[in-house]
Amino acid sequence: MAYDGTPYSGFQVQVGKPTVQAELEKAIERITRQATRVVAAGRTDSGVHAIGQVIHFRSDWTHHTADLERALNAVLPDTIAVAALERAEASFHARYSAKSRCYRYDILNTATRSPIQHRFALHRSKRLDADAMHTALQSLVGTHDFRAFAAGEDRDAVTVRDVTRVTCRRSGEMVRITVEANAFLRHMMRRIVGTALEIGEGRKRTEHMKDVLTSRDKAQAGPTIPAKGLFLVRVTYPGTPGFDTTNEDLLK
Amino acid sequence: MAYDGTPYSGFQVQVGKPTVQAELEKAIERITRQATRVVAAGRTDSGVHAIGQVIHFRSDWTHHTADLERALNAVLPDTIAVAALERAEASFHARYSAKSRCYRYDILNTATRSPIQHRFALHRSKRLDADAMHTALQSLVGTHDFRAFAAGEDRDAVTVRDVTRVTCRRSGEMVRITVEANAFLRHMMRRIVGTALEIGEGRKRTEHMKDVLTSRDKAQAGPTIPAKGLFLVRVTYPGTPGFDTTNEDLLK
């Protein structure tokens, strides 16, 4: 499924706040007349978008799944859509069955900010050296303790993660960073991008990324940049193909 | 200049409604401490976007224009930006000096609607024949009475316009119609696209576009489709180059 995260306080239900989960549960209940709990592969933070989120829910729906999919898209807000709906094995769990997640971050690198892109890309006017960023980011590949890139409050007790692939590529005025890992720490992607930007703008050397990683010190990483350019692009399950290269080039 | 037209009741000032002109005049007065009237090349309707709008205003600003441009972009909302600001001849008039306008309309042609594109493209799930649409649209090129494509209320007394170029091209899942003309009737672009869609979806034959044009009968044209996919792309003045081919391919 996909969503524009701008109007939502993240995926997960919070009392009194608009969330993607609440909208989905409301729509499912309206169509199936059955209350249910929606579980997502990635509990995206406030303002984070998705084009490849995966969810599961239990339902006694006996008609075609295509009918449920169509009905859900008819009642969901413009900012949320279900791209494909199918029956799963009872053992399938959107979060626990996932073997990896892929996030991307888009940076619009133009002299003036763009009103057309403002919901979906961070704007940076200084010319970014995407090649230097790409080189620096390669030091993250592998099994490492990513504590330096974790959120301030230390929500994640275990901070070791497996990063399987990282790219930074320029496509015209857009610079896109894509990271695939078994799982992400809270704010990890936004702090990795914040650190990469320091390198891309020439304020830090290429080696800085590796130094931050090995320091395991949160004070060494760059700032947690805004959620607006961040997308959950793909979730991979056993038996499905991995890193989706098509998403790197399509500026959707 | 550019704007996301979604939150505005069009360009032109209307009492009690948010408009692009009102936001611009407020920003200019705040920076220059001088009230002024902004004139635009194209008075876009409610919900219509722009990436190449041209405006003029009078000001006694004596500092660098680059400083005014920067200051305006700092105070304007995220949905409006000035791309370039320069001093003009006293005789320059954004609307009356313009020799042509170029609008484009974007249609996302995918099975499911996209929450990421929903502000900037119309969604159509049925596969569109962009080549047939392109062929049909060629009958509009030239000096014609476009009365059939005018808005219902006949706001435009003279309905003859010079269309200099029309294209319809597919780029992956996006179908883009671009029209350049000396000037546009109210709703003309949206009714041309509505008619082209009937051809692209196979509900009308290619010849239908020419039949509608020569009928000069508003009842023959397709529906006025929503403003959300419509962009003012470029305004051309004597001495500046015409139809901007780069905008056809860049899905900005």
Side-chain angles (χ1 to χ4, degrees), chain B residues 7 9 46 50 75 80 155 157 168 177 182 189 214-215 230 233 239:
Chain B
S9 297
S46 180
V75 302
I80 303 176
R155 197 178 74 162
C168 178
I177 296 175
N182 65 331
M189 185 71 184
T214 54
S215 76
L230 185 55
V233 166

Side-chain angles (χ1 to χ4, degrees), chain A residues 102-117:
Chain A
C102 182
Y103 281 89
R104 77 172 200 223
Y105 198 98
D106 285 347
I107 304 140
L108 181 68
N109 197 17
T110 49
T112 311
R113 61 183 174 75
S114 161
I116 309 304
Q117 305 269 12

Side-chain angles (χ1 to χ4, degrees), chain A residues 73 79-80 82 113 115 119, chain B residues 73 79-80 82 112-113 115 119:
Chain A
N73 283 323
T79 44
I80 302 177
V82 175
R113 61 183 174 75
R119 286 163 91 95
Chain B
N73 282 323
T79 44
I80 303 176
V82 175
T112 312
R113 61 183 174 74
R119 287 162 89 96

Side-chain angles (χ1 to χ4, degrees), chain B residues 91-146:
Chain B
S91 62
F92 176 81
H93 190 286
R95 184 153 69 253
Y96 302 142
S97 303
K99 64 177 184 187
S100 71
R101 282 93 178 153
C102 181
Y103 280 88
R104 78 171 198 223
Y105 197 98
D106 285 348
I107 305 141
L108 181 69
N109 197 17
T110 49
T112 312
R113 61 183 174 74
S114 163
I116 310 304
Q117 305 270 13
H118 84 275
R119 287 162 89 96
F120 300 111
L122 185 73
H123 174 251
R124 287 289 171 122
S125 50
K126 190 169 181 191
R127 176 79 182 185
L128 296 170
D129 184 344
D131 291 339
M133 293 162 76
H134 181 81
T135 302
L137 286 161
Q138 299 318 305
S139 61
L140 303 182
V141 176
T143 303
H144 301 289
D145 183 346
F146 285 90

Side-chain angles (χ1 to χ4, degrees), chain B residues 122-184:
Chain B
L122 185 73
H123 174 251
R124 287 289 171 122
S125 50
K126 190 169 181 191
R127 176 79 182 185
L128 296 170
D129 184 344
D131 291 339
M133 293 162 76
H134 181 81
T135 302
L137 286 161
Q138 299 318 305
S139 61
L140 303 182
V141 176
T143 303
H144 301 289
D145 183 346
F146 285 90
R147 189 174 181 283
F149 301 102
E153 72 264 37
D154 244 338
R155 197 178 74 162
D156 300 286
V158 179
T159 50
V160 174
R161 295 291 184 274
D162 300 332
V163 168
T164 41
R165 194 167 157 181
V166 190
T167 60
C168 178
R169 295 203 180 134
R170 174 180 289 278
S171 172
E173 298 167 327
M174 195 68 88
V175 173
R176 172 171 293 178
I177 296 175
T178 308
V179 180
E180 187 187 57
N182 65 331
F184 285 76

